[in-house]
Amino acid sequence: MNIEIDNGSGFCFGVTTAIRKAEEKLAEGTRLYCLGDIVHNGTECDRLREKGLVTIGHDELRELHDARVLLRAHGEPPRTYEIAEKNHVEIIDATCPVVLALQRRIRRQHQENPEAQIVIFGKNGHAEVLGLVGQTDGKAIVIEHYEQLQDSPIDFNRDIFLYSQTTKSLDEYQRIIEYCENHIAEGCTFQSFDTICRQVANRMDNIREFAIKHDLVLFVSGKKSSNGKVLYNECLKVNPNTYLIEEPAEIQADWLKNVSSVGICGATSTPKWLMEQCAEEIKSKYP
């Protein structure tokens, strides 16, 4: 049986940097907290927890004083920094540079034209989106899917500035742009900004090419990963024999019947070592 791990899968730059910062601080021996899961992958979170990383929520941050807190790649709204300063909490900021630049653009746009509508194509409640909405004092409108546009609170008789969460689909974002261009009232301004991370977006085409080559595809990803859901569905479109798993133990013998080629790939939040463990599981249990 041929087993191939996708070279293009695995941690993106932002996640790699956040984990490296966490490991460096943990090696110093003092307690380190992380605001939310450092990455949307349970097995990687467990590995870092064993090294001493303590995951907390925003309610716990409010009660924390004189401590060190790492901010993950997704970024945080301004309120988080205010709470940290008030509580004498040292921030280790691992916000992805792409997300940080997007936050600044949205904040500047809101300050320059506070009456305009800022619309964000993203997942409601996602950590990155909460950080982006926070730049507008909570006024930004979040659109999760193209189909929501007709019933959305967007007023096409007012100026609209459209941004996207960095890990969303380029194709769907383009459809949203075209809809807004066709519905904006005469005399009103509509502007869209290309804010999707190319390191993530380019994986779409690559992962489709990878998935179509194999009899069976194992897509390794945490269930919480927004990017994982998007990439998994891309695999599924071109190869119906694709399965979403979180860990090697979920691999089923029935999937491997009459299979001569297995492709293993994952999300931007999937560690390479986990995909390698899945390959070893197949080799050892299903030779």
Side-chain angles (χ1 to χ4, degrees):
M1 185 185 294
N2 174 45
I3 302 172
E4 182 186 5
I5 297 174
D6 176 31
N7 284 330
S9 291
F11 290 153
C12 63
F13 170 79
V15 172
T16 300
T17 302
I19 289 173
R20 176 177 52 77
K21 283 188 177 183
E23 289 177 327
E24 287 173 356
K25 295 298 179 182
L26 289 168
E28 295 174 6
T30 54
R31 182 174 287 269
L32 178 65
Y33 297 91
C34 182
L35 189 56
D37 290 338
I38 192 169
V39 62
H40 289 151
N41 187 281
T43 51
E44 179 66 8
C45 288
D46 289 343
R47 184 185 74 85
L48 290 169
R49 190 177 300 114
E50 289 174 6
K51 287 179 174 285
L53 186 65
V54 180
T55 302
I56 61 170
H58 288 84
D59 289 342
E60 292 162 292
L61 177 66
R62 293 186 187 94
E63 304 301 320
L64 200 63
H65 293 79
D66 303 302
R68 294 197 306 177
V69 174
L70 182 136
L71 303 185
R72 54 196 176 166
H74 302 91
E76 285 290 324
R79 179 62 180 151
T80 297
Y81 294 87
E82 293 167 7
I83 292 169
E85 185 177 2
K86 178 184 175 184
N87 291 359
H88 303 288
V89 168
E90 178 189 350
I91 290 291
I92 292 92
D93 200 337
T95 303
C96 171
V98 177
V99 174
L100 199 58
L102 175 54
Q103 287 183 346
R104 288 169 179 158
R105 288 179 71 173
I106 290 176
R107 181 166 64 251
R108 187 166 57 247
Q109 180 68 64
H110 176 64
Q111 290 171 346
E112 290 173 356
N113 191 350
E115 297 307 312
Q117 296 172 103
I118 290 180
V119 179
I120 298 169
F121 170 43
K123 182 181 178 183
N124 262 308
H126 187 280
E128 181 188 327
V129 174
L130 292 174
L132 299 178
V133 172
Q135 310 305 317
T136 68
D137 301 319
K139 295 179 180 177
I141 299 168
V142 178
I143 296 296
E144 291 199 3
H145 303 290
Y146 171 83
E147 288 74 20
Q148 291 180 338
L149 286 168
Q150 285 187 333
D151 299 319
S152 74
I154 299 172
D155 184 353
F156 290 95
N157 293 305
R158 292 170 54 205
D159 293 349
I160 299 171
F161 297 91
L162 177 66
Y163 299 84
S164 174
Q165 180 182 338
T166 59
T167 55
K168 295 298 283 183
S169 161
L170 269 170
D171 291 342
E172 189 169 8
Y173 189 42
Q174 187 56 46
R175 291 177 68 203
I176 291 171
I177 291 170
E178 290 171 2
Y179 183 96
C180 292
E181 286 175 338
N182 292 332
H183 288 80
I184 191 74
E186 189 175 345
C188 294
T189 298
F190 169 70
Q191 279 187 277
S192 61
F193 302 90
D194 186 354
T195 56
I196 293 176
C197 175
R198 282 303 179 271
Q199 190 183 6
V200 175
N202 290 341
R203 292 191 181 189
M204 292 285 197
D205 292 337
N206 295 339
I207 213 159
R208 282 193 291 260
E209 291 174 13
F210 178 80
I212 208 166
K213 291 193 301 182
H214 297 283
D215 300 330
L216 167 71
V217 174
L218 298 178
F219 189 89
V220 188
S221 173
K223 299 295 194 294
K224 293 180 182 179
S225 172
S226 177
N227 165 257
K229 289 173 186 173
V230 171
L231 291 176
Y232 164 68
N233 284 324
E234 290 303 314
C235 288
L236 202 58
K237 285 177 187 175
V238 299
N239 189 335
N241 202 24
T242 297
Y243 295 92
L244 175 64
I245 61 172
E246 282 195 286
E247 56 185 2
E250 295 177 26
I251 299 171
Q252 297 180 24
D254 287 350
W255 299 347
L256 297 158
K257 286 180 180 177
N258 303 316
V259 166
S260 60
S261 175
V262 178
I264 300 173
C265 51
T268 56
S269 54
T270 303
K272 266 282 174 34
W273 63 261
L274 185 57
M275 289 183 277
E276 289 166 356
Q277 281 189 359
C278 290
E280 291 303 316
E281 177 81 2
I282 296 170
K283 291 174 185 175
S284 62
K285 290 192 175 179
Y286 311 107

